[in-house]
Amino acid sequence: MSCPECDGRLRKRGTETVCEKCGLVSEEDAIDRGPEWRSFEDDETDRRRTGAPLTRSRHDRGLSTEIGYASGSDSYSSRLTGRKRRQIARLRREHNRARVSSKVERNQIYGFAEIRRIHALLSLPDTVREESCTLFKSAQSEGLLQGRSLEGFSAASIYATCRACSIPRTIDEIVDVARADENELKAAYTALNRELGLPTGPIDPSQYLPRYASKLELETSVERRAREYVRTLLEEGLIGGRNPSGVAAACLYKAAGDHQESSSLTQADAADVADVAPVTIRSTAAELEE
């Protein structure tokens, strides 16, 4: 191979073919011929083609790096001396501190961690976690968190997202696993609904039927009959002012009685699964009788 300009010798350097005499770049190949995977542990058996996906449940969208803790007898950290190990520990500590540049980010880290914890304990879809974190950040941008509980807004964000996505979860269910009490959650939810205009309407009691029927071990025919009762109450306008969870449990109780299962399902059992008083079940069942 010779240079087309000076007949000098051509040599390949990286992705270019260059003349040694005049420096002419005769060819260029920018394609990376190396492997399309990478290993974060210097181990060819751990092949990864992408990093972690972007997520709104992290204050930095999951883009920041971390100085990890390597494991294994042949890992790099196991070969470090005591002095080098202490240096890496100091670097890791300072790196973690540098990731949080303001109090706003610190509040986001705490609030998002609480949202992820509630989301995991309630076994909610991942979309609820992502949208709840977005709602929490919107509330923070509007200045709604000042003077209010971070735990309350985290729990209220979960509850509001469940309401908007038609996922049946009661306030009591969220309060049971949250670090906020009921008053903090309601105050935060009221602020979110008032200032941000959440797209939440009245709760449909039929959304609770599948979960309550499963907990009470009722047949599909009973659930189907209870759904008809709920539809009847909605058409007659008799649900206004009532607890939707209690209405769903009462319809299941009435439907179970119609299917000769009243002996296995009592008013106390139906009230317990909906976390309401037995009188709520009794009054709603009386409305259905009428």
Side-chain angles (χ1 to χ4, degrees):
M1 298 174 62
S2 60
C3 176
E5 296 289 338
C6 64
D7 294 330
R9 182 181 178 184
L10 298 178
R11 176 167 296 184
K12 193 173 184 63
R13 297 179 180 177
T15 60
E16 298 176 341
T17 302
V18 184
C19 176
E20 294 182 341
K21 187 175 181 180
C22 67
L24 175 70
V25 179
S26 63
E27 292 183 2
E28 183 178 7
D29 183 11
I31 298 177
D32 185 4
R33 305 293 179 179
E36 35 75 44
W37 52 267
R38 63 178 298 190
S39 174
F40 294 92
E41 301 291 343
D42 294 329
D43 183 6
E44 293 188 1
T45 61
D46 183 20
R47 299 182 178 185
R48 302 182 184 180
R49 288 169 172 77
T50 60
L54 294 179
T55 173
R56 296 184 182 275
S57 61
R58 305 280 180 178
H59 77 286
D60 52 8
R61 300 293 300 276
L63 291 175
S64 62
T65 57
E66 294 183 0
I67 302 178
Y69 298 85
S71 59
S73 58
D74 57 345
S75 63
Y76 174 72
S77 63
S78 63
R79 300 192 298 269
L80 295 177
T81 61
R83 181 178 180 183
K84 192 67 175 179
R85 194 187 300 273
R86 290 192 296 270
Q87 181 184 8
I88 294 297
R90 289 196 301 271
L91 288 173
R92 184 183 297 111
R93 183 174 62 251
E94 294 301 325
H95 177 70
N96 291 335
R97 290 175 178 174
R99 292 172 59 189
V100 183
S101 59
S102 64
K103 187 176 180 180
V104 172
E105 291 187 356
R106 188 179 298 109
N107 290 341
Q108 285 182 10
I109 292 174
Y110 184 82
F112 290 175
E114 176 67 3
I115 289 175
R116 292 195 302 270
R117 191 183 67 84
I118 298 174
H119 160 267
L121 292 175
L122 294 178
S123 301
L124 297 171
D126 291 342
T127 54
V128 173
R129 179 194 64 203
E130 299 292 317
E131 294 182 14
S132 298
C133 291
T134 302
L135 182 58
F136 182 93
K137 189 173 182 179
S138 299
Q140 188 180 40
S141 301
E142 294 294 330
L144 303 181
L145 272 61
Q146 295 181 0
R148 295 188 175 98
S149 167
L150 292 177
E151 295 87 351
F153 268 92
S154 299
S157 298
I158 289 281
Y159 178 68
T161 304
C162 289
R163 288 281 302 271
C165 297
S166 299
I167 297 176
R169 288 295 185 273
T170 63
I171 291 180
D172 293 333
E173 287 178 304
I174 296 178
V175 169
D176 287 341
V177 298
R179 293 193 175 100
D181 56 29
E182 184 176 350
N183 292 332
E184 291 175 336
L185 190 154
K186 288 183 176 180
Y189 176 74
T190 301
L192 288 174
N193 204 8
R194 181 179 63 249
E195 300 297 334
L196 301 182
L198 301 179
T200 57
I203 301 176
D204 186 357
S206 61
Q207 296 175 358
Y208 294 98
L209 293 178
R211 192 155 52 96
Y212 289 174
S214 177
K215 288 183 177 180
L216 295 172
E217 299 180 355
L218 298 175
E219 297 179 359
T220 307
S221 58
V222 176
E223 179 186 341
R224 187 163 50 248
R225 180 60 174 167
R227 197 173 297 275
E228 295 176 0
Y229 282 140
V230 171
R231 190 180 302 112
T232 300
L233 291 175
L234 287 172
E235 293 174 354
E236 297 295 332
L238 300 176
I239 294 184
R242 293 178 181 269
N243 187 339
S245 177
V247 171
C251 291
L252 285 172
Y253 169 74
K254 184 67 171 61
D258 295 344
H259 285 72
Q260 286 79 40
E261 295 188 20
S262 57
S263 59
S264 60
L265 180 61
T266 63
Q267 292 182 3
D269 293 336
D272 184 63
V273 75
D275 197 17
V276 296
V279 66
T280 302
I281 306 297
R282 195 157 47 247
S283 61
T284 306
E287 290 280 357
L288 290 171
E289 288 287 351
E290 297 178 2

